[in-house]
């Protein structure tokens, strides 16, 4: 794939107190270096006081077709005569700055690592919007610091906001889960955290984010189907109310600088060649202010794997005309000139692509001279892996961790009561496994074993050679240490050898002989047995849920570099867990009822497809979406909510069962739901309040339940607080019909918060 664009290395030799020391310093890449080339001063595109449009138009006008073609690929050519250096577009910052993209890299002497936060699915479990935003800010500080140091670009292809539709997907860990609203809210808050400047200048960007992979991409490699060949058959209804909302929100509410189209086809058309999806929707309807990139080598895949056209020039023309601006790979560089010469695409389309890319770089300050003289110019190595940033990694994991089971008297463990803790399992001393997919090099790791050992005496036995756990020869040792200890923590689950990019799961139970290890250890143990599941996706752990000797179950996602510390905080009661599952945990039998390549969200009685996600699936679950316990108990009471809401429409025809959500009458129609929430437990804690609606079944195939809003609050013991939600009738109570149109169904809408239920009648 794309090769590395190594910045220039300047070596300064100093004679220092008689000894020779060598200081190596990298330099960030930027255009319009007037000190080096004073004649650049006369170019309007280098003039900071002009607006971006004027500058970019001036630049594009000066470029040859060949130079343009070289500017629309991930490793963009330099244009020396115009003072423009190479630029590597591909960097990643999904949960900390990553070296997955070749434009960012770590080096022991320059920047050895960056703070590695939990994978997104665990962060999403916190349901804490301000946390999502703060993470974006902290990650962009480290990203910009790395750019200033010469080891990163300015454009980061994160976050991944695909819907985690099927529990088998190997990349579910990268996403905020299965719910379109949570995914949208995470996407917007994180994108704004990454991009927005502290001076509030909306035209400029701190770093550029990218919402990917547009759209309906959530199958990597399952049986004989892989993402490069997959033709996802998607209904208009599912596209509009499930797959597209996070992308739409990224653009409309997050003002994201980029959207990346996915590898797969949708209804027979590769997304990167689909004008309706790109040019008409993302740019036309949503008004993207930025560039559309392809996934890496998408165009080669369109040509070779999908046989989309007879020549690479035709693929190039199709993609450009569809709205693509940048290609991860080099197809657009190789084939654009010939595509134009053969009349397959007009140069004006190429100009649009070049303009969108360079306009983004201008908003990032790339054309404004040396970065040290710009805002964020003082960020450097000292701002990476700071104590505060690493503490936030621990705090994020604590906020996300989900308590799934807790028999009376099990958790939290009191360190003073535990003379010896047996720590067992293939992830019990995990390090790299904790940082998951799209990670970089962390500042350091705090493994579970290390963190537990700081609180109590531990005895360790991994029990399995690795997470695949296919030999039982270590089980006896595990049983014997469990029998001798006051309590047992089993850290089981997966790592990237089981679920990853390019690797979907064939099963959703703990791998290999892990269940057997858990059962044997639980049987042998004399004290509480805490089962910790480290995984991206959900697990059928019914056997442990049912087993009274497994006294507690925790899910910790892939909890990031400080994962062990966060787990210890929860297990020893220094933090009261408040995370909620952002995805349904299905029973294993679910896999038999629907093949992974069936993209329908809605159930289909004719095939036995039971529907997907809590919005449509009504079958049995191991743990449902939104599930999560606390060491405290919270009670909810409804204080105020209307019983009826009237829509001021001059049309009392009783035949109407819904109105268009886009209708003018719909604008600004809101009502309040006020709750009183009390912590009746003995510990203070953070509690997430999830508000669901049950739309009336007026529109065919509506979800039976859908998340409308959520809030996370903190409460001390016996503290109570009122929580209010403002419901925008047309935005939050609308559903999508079979033509993909948003409608507000009239009639009874149920509202549900915890065990409180209320209904509101919508009338004309
Ligand atoms: C930059 O643009 C401003 C505004 O048009 C203009 O006044 C100024 O002379 C320009 N600077 C140069 C160096 O051309
Ligand atoms: C880091 O970069 C410096 C400067 O190029 C180089 O001398 C050194 O070998 C690199 N170190 C590693 C571990 O790659
Ligand atoms: C583009 O051209 C380069 C240099 O000739 C070649 O190495 C590369 O494989 C080409 N890429 C494609 C997609 O054809
Ligand atoms: C190029 O532009 C001309 C004039 O607008 C138009 O007639 C023609 O169809 C365009 N060609 C392509 C390939 O889009
Ligand atoms: C735990 O992992 C660390 C880091 O990989 C290693 O140094 C240590 O020896 C391991 N501890 C045990 C008891 O295996
Ligand atoms: C166990 O897994 C290892 C690789 O993880 C493999 O080499 C070995 O063949 C497996 N053994 C069995 C009994 O499946
Ligand atoms: C899919 O997985 C199979 C076997 O697990 C492997 O041979 C194949 O290369 C993978 N394909 C892709 C596109 O990742
Ligand atoms: C409804 O009728 C009233 C009075 O005739 C009028 O003022 C108002 O604009 C009408 N509203 C709509 C949505 O047509
Ligand atoms: C009023 O109701 C009629 C009959 O259902 C419908 O045809 C018409 O479009 C409605 N008018 C408005 C303004 O909604
Ligand atoms: C949400 O996250 C922020 C940042 O970590 C934290 O300060 C705040 O306390 C959290 N809110 C709740 C209710 O836990």
């Amino acid at each position: 794939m794309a090769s590395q664009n190594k910045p220039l290395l300047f070596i300064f030799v100093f004679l220092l107190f008689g000894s020779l020391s060598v200081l190596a310093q990298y330099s960030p890449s930027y255009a319009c270096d007037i000190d080096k080339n004073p004649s650049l001063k006369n170019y309007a595109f280098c003039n900071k006081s002009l607006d971006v449009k004027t500058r970019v138009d001036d630049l594009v006008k000066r470029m040859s077709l060949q130079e343009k073609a070289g500017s629309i690929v991930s490793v963009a050519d330099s244009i020396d005569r115009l003072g423009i250096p190479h630029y590597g577009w591909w960097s990643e910052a999904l949960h900390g700055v990553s070296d997955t993209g070749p434009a960012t890299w770590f080096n022991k002497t320059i920047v050895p690592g960056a703070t590695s936060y939990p994978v997104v699915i665990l962060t999403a479990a916190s349901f804490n919007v301000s946390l999502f935003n703060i993470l974006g800010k902290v990650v962009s500080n480290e990203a910009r610091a790395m750019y200033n140091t010469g080891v990163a670009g300015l454009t980061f292809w994160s976050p991944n906001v695909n819907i985690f539709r099927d529990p088998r997907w190997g990349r579910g860990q990268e996403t905020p889960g299965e719910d379109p609203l949570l995914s949208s809210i995470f996407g917007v808050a994180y994108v704004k955290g990454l991009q927005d400047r502290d001076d509030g200048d909306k035209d400029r960007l701190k770093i550029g984010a990218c919402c990917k992979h547009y759209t309906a991409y959530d199958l990597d490699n399952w049986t004989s189907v892989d993402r490069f060949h997959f033709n996802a058959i998607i209904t208009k209804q599912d596209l509009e109310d499930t797959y597209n909302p996070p992308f739409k929100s990224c653009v409309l509410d997050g003002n994201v600088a980029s959207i990346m189209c996915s590898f797969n086809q949708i209804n027979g058309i590769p997304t990167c060649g689909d004008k309706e999806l790109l040019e008409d929707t993302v740019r036309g309807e949503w008004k993207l202010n930025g560039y559309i990139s392809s996934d890496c080598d998408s165009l080669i895949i369109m040509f070779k794997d999908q046989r989309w056209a007879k020549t690479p020039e035709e693929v190039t023309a199709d993609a450009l005309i569809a709205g693509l601006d940048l290609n991860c790979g080099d197809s657009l560089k190789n084939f654009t000139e010939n595509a134009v010469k053969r009349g397959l695409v007009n140069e004006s389309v190429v100009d649009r692509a070049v303009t969108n890319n360079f306009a983004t770089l201008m908003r990032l300050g790339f054309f404004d001279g040396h970065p040290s003289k710009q805002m964020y110019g003082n960020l450097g190595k000292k701002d990476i892996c700071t104590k505060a940033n690493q503490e936030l990694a621990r705090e994020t994991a604590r906020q996300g961790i989900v308590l799934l089971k807790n028999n009376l008297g099990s958790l939290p463990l009191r360190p003073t009561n535990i003379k010896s803790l047996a720590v067992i399992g293939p992830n019990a001393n995990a390090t790299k496994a904790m940082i998951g997919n799209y990670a970089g090099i962390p500042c350091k790791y705090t493994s579970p074993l290390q963190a537990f050992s700081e609180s109590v005496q531990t005895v360790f036995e991994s029990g399995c050679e690795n997470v695949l756990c296919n030999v039982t020869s270590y089980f006896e040792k595990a049983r014997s240490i469990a029998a001798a200890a006051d309590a047992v923590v089993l850290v089981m689950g997966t790592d990237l050898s089981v679920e990853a990019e390019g690797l979907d799961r064939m099963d959703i139970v703990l791998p290999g002989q892990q269940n057997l290890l858990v059962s044997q250890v639980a049987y042998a143990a004399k004290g509480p047995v805490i089962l910790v599941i480290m995984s991206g996706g959900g697990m059928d752990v019914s056997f442990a849920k049912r087993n009274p000797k497994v006294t507690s179950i925790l899910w910790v996602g892939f909890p990031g570099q400080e994962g062990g510390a966060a787990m210890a905080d929860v297990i020893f009661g220094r933090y009261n867990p408040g995370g909620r599952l952002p995805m349904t945990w299905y029973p294993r039998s679910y896999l038999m009822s629907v093949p992974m390549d069936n993209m329908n969200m809605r159930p289909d009685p004719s095939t036995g497809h039971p529907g997907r996600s809590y919005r449509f699936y009504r079958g049995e679950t191991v743990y449902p979406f939104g599930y999560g316990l606390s060491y405290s108990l919270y009670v909810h009471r409804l204080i105020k909510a209307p019983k009826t809401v009237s829509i001021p429409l001059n049309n009392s025809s009783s035949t109407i069962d819904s109105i268009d959500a886009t209708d003018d009458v719909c604008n600004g129609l809101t009502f309040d739901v006020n709750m009183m929430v009390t912590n009746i437990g003995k510990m203070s804690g953070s509690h997430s309040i999830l508000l669901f609606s049950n739309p009336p079944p007026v529109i065919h195939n509506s979800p039976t339940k859908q998340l409308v809003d959520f809030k996370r609050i903190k409460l001390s013991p016996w503290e109570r607080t009122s929580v209010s939600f403002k419901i925008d009738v047309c935005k939050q109570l609308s559903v999508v019909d079979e033509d993909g149109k948003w409608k507000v169904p009239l009639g009874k809408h149920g509202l549900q918060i915890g065990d409180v239920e209320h209904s509101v009648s919508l009338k004309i």
Side-chain angles (χ1 to χ4, degrees):
M1 216 157 299
S3 73
Q4 179 67 55
N5 159 27
K6 297 277 182 203
L8 288 172
L9 169 69
F10 296 99
I11 297 176
F12 300 96
V13 180
F14 289 85
L15 271 174
L16 215 64
F17 302 115
S19 72
L20 190 70
S21 89
V22 180
L23 287 189
Q25 190 190 321
Y26 281 78
S27 164
S29 111
Y30 62 97
C32 298
D33 184 351
I34 286 163
D35 296 336
K36 206 166 93 190
N37 182 354
S39 68
L40 296 172
K41 199 168 71 212
N42 305 320
Y43 290 133
F45 71 83
C46 286
N47 186 339
K48 281 189 273 191
S49 47
L50 297 172
D51 60 88
V52 168
K53 185 175 182 329
T54 309
R55 294 174 76 184
V56 77
D57 286 351
D58 174 70
L59 173 57
V60 175
K61 224 172 47 206
R62 296 173 193 275
M63 293 169 69
S64 69
L65 179 56
Q66 192 188 10
E67 286 166 340
K68 290 171 189 170
S71 303
I72 54 180
V73 287
S74 48
V75 179
D77 284 344
S78 61
I79 309 172
D80 296 339
R81 65 181 189 94
L82 297 175
I84 299 172
H86 289 285
Y87 178 73
W89 282 87
W90 182 10
S91 291
E92 303 268 356
L94 181 62
H95 53 112
V97 182
S98 161
D99 55 355
T100 304
T104 298
W105 45 288
F106 296 103
N107 170 310
K108 277 207 175 75
T109 52
I110 314 294
V111 176
T115 316
S116 202
Y117 294 93
V119 291
V120 173
I121 190 114
L122 186 70
T123 298
S126 74
F127 283 86
N128 182 345
V129 184
S130 51
L131 176 64
F132 304 161
N133 185 248
I134 288 166
L135 279 171
K137 285 187 180 170
V138 168
V139 170
S140 58
N141 277 346
E142 294 200 358
R144 190 89 203 190
M146 286 183 69
Y147 168 69
N148 289 345
T149 317
V151 293
L154 288 163
T155 43
F156 290 79
W157 291 347
S158 308
N160 178 344
V161 293
N162 287 122
I163 295 296
F164 191 1
R165 166 193 59 102
D166 188 290
R168 286 162 280 203
W169 191 30
R171 301 184 74 175
Q173 56 180 293
E174 296 174 33
T175 75
E178 73 185 22
D179 182 63
L181 180 81
L182 177 59
S183 301
S184 297
I185 288 178
F186 173 84
V188 171
Y190 190 68
V191 163
K192 289 174 73 68
L194 292 178
Q195 293 192 158
D196 289 0
R197 288 165 45 119
D198 295 303
D199 63 0
D201 186 340
K202 293 282 172 216
D203 294 333
R204 287 165 180 273
L205 298 164
K206 184 176 175 189
I207 64 167
C210 171
C211 288
K212 68 190 186 185
H213 316 77
Y214 181 71
T215 185
Y217 164 77
D218 58 52
L219 180 154
D220 268 56
N221 190 3
W222 177 79
T223 65
S224 59
V225 192
D226 72 62
R227 56 186 175 159
F228 307 130
H229 300 87
F230 182 41
N231 177 21
I233 305 299
I234 314 281
T235 67
K236 284 182 183 160
Q237 204 173 17
D238 286 342
L239 188 66
E240 186 61 29
D241 76 357
T242 298
Y243 296 111
N244 275 358
F247 295 98
K248 189 174 181 179
S249 301
C250 275
V251 176
L252 288 176
D253 304 327
N255 198 13
V256 73
S258 175
I259 292 286
M260 177 187 286
C261 44
S262 53
F263 287 123
N264 56 290
Q265 301 192 340
I266 290 186
N267 302 333
I269 305 173
T271 61
C272 292
D274 190 331
K275 184 165 177 293
E276 201 178 313
L277 282 178
L278 306 186
E279 190 64 30
D280 300 349
T281 306
V282 176
R283 191 160 287 125
E285 204 184 305
W286 303 344
K287 308 214 166 6
L288 173 75
N289 181 14
Y291 65 100
I292 299 176
S293 174
S294 78
D295 205 334
C296 295
D297 288 335
S298 274
L299 299 195
I300 299 179
I301 286 156
M302 272 167 77
F303 177 61
K304 290 198 175 143
D305 297 83
Q306 304 183 352
R307 301 181 188 278
W308 174 246
K310 285 193 199 68
T311 65
E313 285 80 7
E314 285 171 279
V315 169
T316 293
D318 280 0
L320 286 167
I321 291 167
L324 194 74
D325 299 315
L326 186 84
N327 157 222
C328 180
D330 53 15
S331 298
L332 288 188
K333 177 162 129 185
N334 290 11
F335 306 117
T336 296
E337 269 185 275
N338 277 337
V340 171
K341 284 182 186 141
R342 285 183 208 163
L344 299 169
V345 58
N346 282 323
E347 190 165 349
S348 61
V349 177
V350 182
D351 289 348
R352 179 218 67 217
V354 180
T355 299
N356 287 331
N357 298 343
F358 279 131
T360 306
L361 287 183
M362 282 176 186
R363 294 169 67 207
L364 285 159
F366 190 76
F367 286 82
D368 293 352
H370 199 284
S372 67
K373 294 181 190 132
Q374 300 178 29
M375 193 172 183
Y376 301 113
N378 58 358
L379 290 174
K381 195 171 170 175
K382 65 179 189 324
D383 301 291
I384 302 165
C385 286
T386 62
K387 225 175 148 206
N389 291 2
Q390 295 189 65
E391 183 53 33
L392 184 65
R394 179 175 182 166
E395 169 67 11
T396 304
R398 286 195 292 231
Q399 288 196 31
I401 289 174
V402 183
L403 178 64
L404 294 168
K405 174 179 178 180
N406 197 19
N407 288 358
L408 203 66
S410 176
L411 285 179
L413 299 180
R414 255 179 258 285
T416 48
N417 291 355
I418 309 288
K419 287 192 194 62
S420 116
L421 178 73
V423 182
I424 298 170
N427 278 331
N429 192 27
T431 52
K432 203 164 193 300
M434 294 196 297
I435 62 177
N437 245 1
Y438 282 78
I441 296 177
C443 321
K444 68 175 199 330
Y445 293 107
T446 306
S447 83
L449 177 62
Q450 186 188 341
F452 301 157
S453 302
E454 281 167 19
S455 296
V456 294
Q457 201 77 45
T458 55
V459 197
F460 167 73
E461 170 52 51
S462 110
C464 312
E465 284 174 306
N466 51 43
V467 293
L468 301 177
C469 198
N470 61 7
V471 293
T472 56
S473 42
Y474 308 96
F475 287 15
E476 196 189 328
K477 166 104 188 289
R479 285 195 304 265
S480 73
I481 69 164
D486 294 325
V488 179
V489 178
L490 283 148
V491 191
M492 311 302 286
T494 66
D495 61 20
L496 298 186
S497 69
V498 176
E499 40 179 343
E501 181 162 13
L503 184 64
D504 296 327
R505 285 188 293 169
M506 289 308 292
D507 208 341
I508 54 172
V509 291
L510 294 172
Q513 302 297 319
Q514 287 194 33
N515 284 9
L516 189 63
L517 177 61
V518 172
S519 301
Q520 291 194 0
V521 164
Y523 186 76
K526 64 171 184 199
V529 175
I530 308 359
L531 170 61
V532 177
I533 297 152
M534 197 180 279
S535 71
M539 288 285 173
D540 183 343
V541 287
S542 321
F543 81 100
K545 187 182 173 187
R546 278 192 308 262
N547 183 344
K549 294 221 61 178
V550 177
T551 53
S552 300
I553 304 178
L554 288 163
W555 175 68
V556 301
F558 294 125
Q561 65 165 60
E562 299 306 319
M567 285 161 58
D569 289 339
V570 168
I571 287 173
F572 295 115
R574 296 187 293 258
Y575 189 87
N576 186 354
R580 307 291 203 100
L581 292 181
M583 75 298 207
T584 305
W585 284 31
Y586 299 90
R588 187 183 204 182
S589 59
Y590 182 82
L591 306 188
M592 302 302 151
S593 60
V594 56
M596 193 178 174
D597 58 350
N598 179 327
M599 297 296 283
N600 291 328
M601 295 300 297
R602 271 98 179 151
D604 181 353
S606 73
T607 62
H609 175 11
R612 296 181 177 281
S613 86
Y614 78 93
R615 292 161 61 229
F616 300 103
Y617 173 70
R618 296 272 71 80
E620 205 187 303
T621 61
V622 178
Y623 292 109
F625 175 87
Y627 190 75
L629 306 171
S630 160
Y631 297 153
S632 278
L633 252 175
Y634 304 91
V635 291
H636 307 92
R637 193 161 53 83
L638 187 70
I639 298 181
K640 195 181 127 235
K643 286 206 162 60
T644 55
V645 171
S646 297
I647 300 171
L649 193 67
N650 289 351
N651 201 335
S652 54
S653 164
S654 57
T655 57
I656 301 181
D657 56 12
S658 68
I659 60 167
D660 287 347
T662 50
D663 213 316
D664 282 346
V665 294
C666 233
N667 261 331
L669 187 63
T670 63
F671 64 87
D672 292 321
V673 176
N674 291 328
M675 307 285 302
M676 183 62 78
V677 185
T678 312
N679 179 353
I680 60 164
K682 291 199 188 101
M683 268 181 94
S684 42
S686 286
H687 174 58
S688 292
I689 301 160
L690 276 48
L691 171 62
F692 293 95
S693 79
N694 313 105
V698 160
I699 302 293
H700 199 49
N701 274 334
S702 289
T704 41
K705 186 178 176 188
Q706 101 186 354
L707 188 65
V708 164
D709 205 353
F710 57 86
K711 277 198 171 87
R712 184 172 169 115
I713 58 164
K714 259 188 190 151
L715 287 174
S716 307
W718 291 104
E719 185 184 350
R720 57 178 202 167
T721 189
S722 77
V723 176
S724 67
F725 292 99
K726 190 173 265 322
I727 308 295
D728 182 315
V729 170
C730 296
K731 280 199 182 123
Q732 286 162 289
L733 297 185
S734 51
V735 297
V736 169
D737 72 9
E738 280 150 315
D739 295 323
K741 300 271 181 293
W742 288 92
K743 299 276 183 186
V744 185
L746 301 176
K748 233 186 207 178
H749 291 251
L751 295 176
Q752 227 182 299
I753 299 178
D755 50 6
V756 173
E757 288 181 14
H758 175 79
S759 60
V760 181
S761 271
L762 288 188
K763 291 192 176 140
I764 292 181

